[in-house]
Amino acid sequence: MFLKPSLHIVLGKGGVGKTTVSGALAVMAAESGRDTLICETEGKSGLGSIFGRGGLNFEEDQLAKGIWARTIWPDDALVEYMADHGMTRFSRLLVKTNVLEYVATAIPGIKDVLVLGKIKQVVKGSRAEERSYKTVVVDAPAAGHAITFLTSAAGIVNAVRVGPIRDQALDVIGLLESESTVVHLVTIPEETPVNEAVETAEALRERVGCRLGVIFVNGCYPHAAEAIEAEEIESLSKGLGVEINPDLALAMEAANEFMLDRYALQQSQRERLSRMLDLPQIELPFIFNADFGRTELETLAGAMADAISGAP
Amino acid sequence: MKPSDPPAKAASAQDGPSLEEVIGNKRVVIVCGSGGVGKTTIAAALALHGAYLGRRTAVVTIDPARRLANALGLDSLQDEAAEIPRSVWDPDKKAPASGSYSAMMLDAKATFDRLVARYAADEAQIRRILSNTFYQNIAGALSGTQEYMAMEKLYELDQDGPYDLIVVDTPPSRNALDFLDAPGRLSRFLDARVFRYFLSPTRAYLKAVSSATRGVLKIVAKVIGSEVIDDAVEFFAAFEGMYDGFKDRASHVSDLLDADDTAYLLVASPRREAAAEAEFFAEKLVESGHPIAGLIVNRVHPRFSDLEPGVALGRAAALERTDKRANRLAILYKNLANFDRVADREAGNLAGLAGKCASAPIVLVPYMAHDVADFEGLDEISWYMFPEGEANPA
């Protein structure tokens, strides 16, 4: 079943709603009784504000019943890793002297491996001071960087022959290839985002031995009414004894036409997506409400749960 | 109102030059904003308007979607701006003869290689540097390299290119000002005092590096393997003598970014997170002394009616479930309310942003029913940005 894996990595390009999808996935998991942690990797997530909180930190922060969140940064992950290995003073120097920047340049991908290494530890619940979770959701860096984020460990194993960094990278590969890890994609039903999702999926299949779960198609308009002209709206209203002015009828015609155009475009992109990518599509509705907060996130989580239980 | 009509301009206390004047008069236009807002498309459309105003225009794109790249004649990365035939960008022959449109897709690595070649003493030094793994990582993967190379390319085009107007797209970055700061950051990176310890471990150099730092490097070598450090040391050895040239160049690039003839345009989308990011971006730009010359909000939902969405929803609820015709009307009311609510939500998201762009013109580009992937589409966008301009489609 969908929630069986303990690690869900959510990938998508900027602007497709990756963070809200990660949040909804966490709400869905928490509602099924799983303690869930959301790991944010870019340091600018609006997740806190959806739950009426401020920004997230490296330390775990409870957002709601069953839901915790934290930001995982390479620098923090490194300092903690060193401290856990009895090298606190050294790790501070490493960050302070900016040597990490040179090391990161010498070995591209080392920062991603530090982040994923920390995520592995969180998933395993192996750090005594920290909570352990049934489900961990990673709101991964935006596409472009998403592929390098997941391929970096393999690159390090090729570049570094010995030592703890190599071991860490091997651990990360083990995590990504594990049965209990799954990678989901997020897109919106538009041409460029669909293309990018397909490219990301292909690159991951070629270069990372991870399991792909589903593709979330976010921001889908509901099934539209049929086309109707303003005059017909007026006579329809009059027939029902409802007052309507011609301007309003025109506005209703235009809004309906807009919906029909968007819906047609959306369906053609979804068909294209299903031709190009053999992953279950999980349709998530466009949220029309004035604000986006807890209630809306729960709506999304509900739609997600329904779509997943109905998916093949 | 039909969605194909230009949306009303957002209220702004505009007293600076209009967007038309910015594109008509400035020499360099830097298009910034967060990822996923359609920056590249907007940059290409702004450049098209420049060409229509009779200016010799070049647009530097970073990572255009494939079909847009094809439309711009960019089938692969290329280090040179290529002129697009007039018949392609101006099929109706409306632009003055002086206008031209050139486009390029940034190849950060090739731009960096060229920069190395420019400052190296001889062929041997070029070869030593280009073949070094550490250099290849800097050119390919160092955060900030792409930002710097976009600005370096801009400087090259400004110095050597036959252009009146250069429009530059900026790479999507985690930090708002990565591209402004990039020249300085790369200079600091290349001025690697820590590595001088390895280059020339004499007493004089030892002073430049604290003993703590030396200790760090020794341990690093143990942890990640000494060949990695050797590579870096070899790079800095090969780079010796070039640093001053690079630093000098970077300061010229910085000067261009600060020049009066350079304008910054901010692209945002009205989604909540995107608007919040744009607000942050705007603050940082203003703080760093780079005022925003215009705000372009892309993919705005139109507001279709004056009716309160709550009232429309109430009418829908009253009509629902009575009979088939009533239901049909209810759906139409609900749909109208839905889109008007989205329009209101977006206006709310943008309120704070408009305040941050005090005197700058603000234009809204509507959510298009199709992807923009050709010059016709770019022309349509530029019609929304410059409603009084000469580029109006029929």
Side-chain angles (χ1 to χ4, degrees):
Chain A
M1 70 177 266
F2 185 84
L3 285 173
K4 194 167 173 240
S6 48
L7 176 59
H8 296 257
I9 300 176
V10 181
L11 298 183
K13 160 196 160 78
V16 298
K18 190 168 49 69
T19 299
T20 40
V21 170
S22 302
L25 181 51
V27 169
M28 184 178 79
E31 275 171 6
S32 75
R34 288 154 206 272
D35 278 359
T36 301
L37 174 74
I38 306 170
C39 297
E40 193 274 326
T41 53
E42 282 187 302
K44 56 177 188 187
S45 161
L47 199 68
S49 72
I50 295 177
F51 286 91
R53 298 296 192 84
L56 305 177
N57 301 305
F58 188 64
E59 287 74 37
E60 303 157 288
D61 186 14
Q62 183 161 18
L63 296 181
K65 186 169 174 286
I67 303 176
W68 285 258
R70 66 189 297 177
T71 293
I72 296 193
W73 278 108
D75 288 13
D76 292 327
L78 177 69
V79 168
E80 189 189 273
Y81 176 88
M82 294 291 186
D84 287 354
H85 291 76
M87 293 186 279
T88 307
R89 188 177 149 268
F90 172 57
S91 70
R92 289 210 193 99
L93 274 170
L94 205 51
V95 172
K96 201 179 117 210
T97 55
N98 204 24
V99 168
L100 182 59
E101 278 312 305
Y102 292 98
V103 174
T105 303
I107 314 176
I110 199 164
K111 290 187 169 187
D112 295 327
V113 166
L114 284 167
V115 168
L116 283 163
K118 176 63 198 169
I119 288 169
K120 189 210 72 180
Q121 192 194 46
V122 168
V123 170
K124 301 262 181 262
S126 53
R127 195 162 198 267
E129 302 90 317
E130 293 178 358
R131 298 183 49 86
S132 59
Y133 300 93
K134 263 252 158 60
T135 304
V136 175
V137 178
V138 176
D139 182 357
H145 188 194
I147 297 168
T148 51
F149 181 62
L150 296 183
T151 52
S152 56
I156 286 188
V157 169
N158 285 333
V160 183
R161 295 281 157 224
V162 288
I165 295 296
R166 180 185 169 86
D167 296 343
Q168 185 85 334
L170 285 169
D171 275 359
V172 165
I173 293 174
L175 174 77
L176 294 176
E177 291 179 352
S178 148
E179 278 283 292
S180 51
T181 296
V182 63
V183 176
H184 305 299
L185 302 171
V186 185
T187 191
I188 49 176
E190 288 177 28
E191 184 173 325
T192 305
V194 162
N195 291 344
E196 281 168 348
V198 172
E199 281 162 22
T200 305
E202 282 168 357
L204 291 180
R205 279 185 173 149
E206 238 168 70
R207 294 158 57 188
V208 187
C210 58
R211 224 150 46 85
L212 294 182
V214 301
I215 179 154
F216 293 105
V217 185
N218 197 22
C220 289
Y221 291 119
H223 183 19
E226 55 210 280
I228 186 165
E229 288 191 7
E231 283 169 16
E232 209 185 334
I233 298 175
E234 282 184 63
S235 66
L236 192 64
S237 295
K238 284 191 186 113
L240 291 159
V242 181
E243 280 288 317
I244 192 164
N245 71 47
D247 283 350
L248 185 59
L250 275 171
M252 285 163 88
E253 178 194 334
N256 192 52
E257 198 185 302
F258 184 79
M259 162 73 90
L260 286 170
D261 284 350
R262 300 299 316 181
Y263 188 77
L265 183 78
Q266 160 185 318
Q267 294 311 98
S268 74
Q269 291 303 330
R270 290 194 58 185
E271 277 160 33
R272 209 164 64 85
L273 178 61
S274 58
R275 277 201 305 279
M276 297 196 299
L277 186 62
D278 56 342
L279 285 182
Q281 285 182 29
I282 302 299
E283 174 179 331
L284 298 176
F286 189 94
I287 302 289
F288 288 103
N289 296 12
D291 298 309
F292 195 97
R294 264 304 278 289
T295 321
E296 288 71 27
L297 196 61
E298 272 156 23
T299 306
L300 216 53
M304 188 182 279
D306 291 347
I308 284 166
S309 64
Chain B
M1 180 185 122
K2 293 212 168 193
S4 56
D5 294 336
K9 282 194 187 182
S12 85
Q14 182 187 331
D15 50 21
S18 67
L19 201 55
E20 179 90 21
E21 286 167 314
V22 171
I23 295 299
N25 301 325
K26 292 288 183 181
R27 174 159 174 80
V28 171
V29 170
I30 296 174
V31 181
C32 39
S34 53
V37 297
K39 229 178 345 177
T40 307
T41 309
I42 295 292
L46 288 166
L48 180 60
H49 192 70
Y52 270 119
L53 292 174
R55 307 192 80 191
R56 288 170 300 175
T57 306
V59 60
V60 181
T61 66
I62 305 295
D63 186 18
R66 201 180 304 143
R67 272 180 48 204
L68 179 64
N70 291 343
L72 295 174
L74 304 170
D75 298 321
S76 61
L77 292 175
Q78 49 197 52
D79 200 35
E80 299 288 340
E83 189 169 336
I84 295 170
R86 178 176 289 268
S87 60
V88 174
W89 63 267
D90 184 24
D92 303 328
K93 302 191 177 64
K94 291 180 299 183
S98 58
S100 70
Y101 192 106
S102 300
M104 64 166 289
M105 195 185 329
L106 179 73
D107 181 341
K109 172 78 166 59
T111 305
F112 210 145
D113 289 353
R114 267 234 302 239
L115 201 51
V116 167
R118 182 186 292 266
Y119 290 104
D122 51 35
E123 281 295 321
Q125 191 181 18
I126 298 175
R127 272 199 308 275
R128 259 178 88 198
I129 293 177
L130 297 195
S131 64
N132 178 275
T133 317
F134 190 80
Y135 167 74
Q136 289 161 4
N137 292 339
I138 296 178
L142 181 65
S143 84
T145 298
Q146 205 188 23
E147 283 85 352
Y148 181 40
M149 290 308 139
M151 299 306 125
E152 161 64 28
K153 186 42 94 179
L154 164 66
Y155 182 70
E156 265 177 38
L157 292 173
D158 177 67
Q159 293 291 301
D160 313 328
Y163 305 109
D164 309 317
L165 168 67
I166 307 163
V167 179
V168 201
D169 183 14
T170 49
S173 54
R174 292 187 183 198
N175 298 308
L177 296 181
D178 278 356
F179 65 90
L180 280 178
D181 189 33
R185 260 190 313 145
L186 191 70
S187 315
R188 287 193 295 278
F189 183 86
L190 294 174
D191 183 21
R193 295 159 65 98
V194 298
F195 284 96
R196 296 202 181 152
Y197 162 67
F198 286 97
L199 295 181
S200 178
T202 63
R203 287 246 161 246
Y205 277 111
L206 279 176
K207 280 187 189 151
V209 181
S210 74
S211 63
T213 306
R214 289 200 303 273
V216 167
L217 278 177
K218 274 185 191 159
I219 302 177
V220 166
K222 264 189 212 154
V223 173
I224 62 177
S226 59
E227 73 261 36
V228 175
I229 296 285
D230 291 346
D231 245 356
V233 170
E234 199 186 294
F235 166 75
F236 285 103
F239 198 74
E240 280 244 289
M242 280 173 59
Y243 176 71
D244 288 340
F246 252 77
K247 197 175 149 199
D248 205 38
R249 179 83 168 185
S251 86
H252 286 306
V253 174
S254 284
D255 289 348
L256 178 62
L257 297 181
D258 293 341
D260 287 341
D261 229 7
T262 298
Y264 292 82
L265 297 179
L266 181 59
V267 183
S269 101
R271 286 179 311 104
R272 190 174 44 90
E273 320 87 86
E277 268 179 48
E279 235 175 273
F280 177 73
F281 224 120
E283 264 168 38
K284 293 287 166 196
L285 270 174
V286 173
E287 261 172 43
S288 68
H290 301 87
I292 296 163
L295 169 67
I296 297 143
V297 187
N298 196 17
R299 305 161 67 86
V300 177
H301 278 86
R303 200 180 200 289
F304 290 96
S305 76
D306 302 329
L307 192 63
E308 260 308 302
V311 174
L313 284 176
R315 289 187 194 171
L319 286 161
E320 246 167 0
R321 285 186 296 273
T322 51
D323 73 14
K324 208 177 156 194
R325 286 180 316 151
N327 254 332
R328 191 167 182 208
L329 194 58
I331 289 170
L332 291 166
Y333 266 115
K334 197 169 170 193
N335 184 61
L336 179 71
N338 274 342
F339 280 110
D340 284 350
R341 278 197 293 174
V342 172
D344 289 352
R345 175 173 84 199
E346 291 183 348
N349 292 343
L350 293 172
L353 182 55
K356 296 280 189 310
C357 303
S359 64
I362 299 175
V363 297
L364 306 181
V365 176
Y367 204 136
M368 304 274 180
H370 46 80
D371 258 32
V372 173
D374 53 24
F375 274 97
E376 213 184 319
L378 292 178
D379 200 20
E380 196 182 344
I381 290 186
S382 83
W383 177 61
Y384 287 111
M385 293 193 287
F386 306 98
E388 286 95 44
E390 290 165 41
N392 295 12

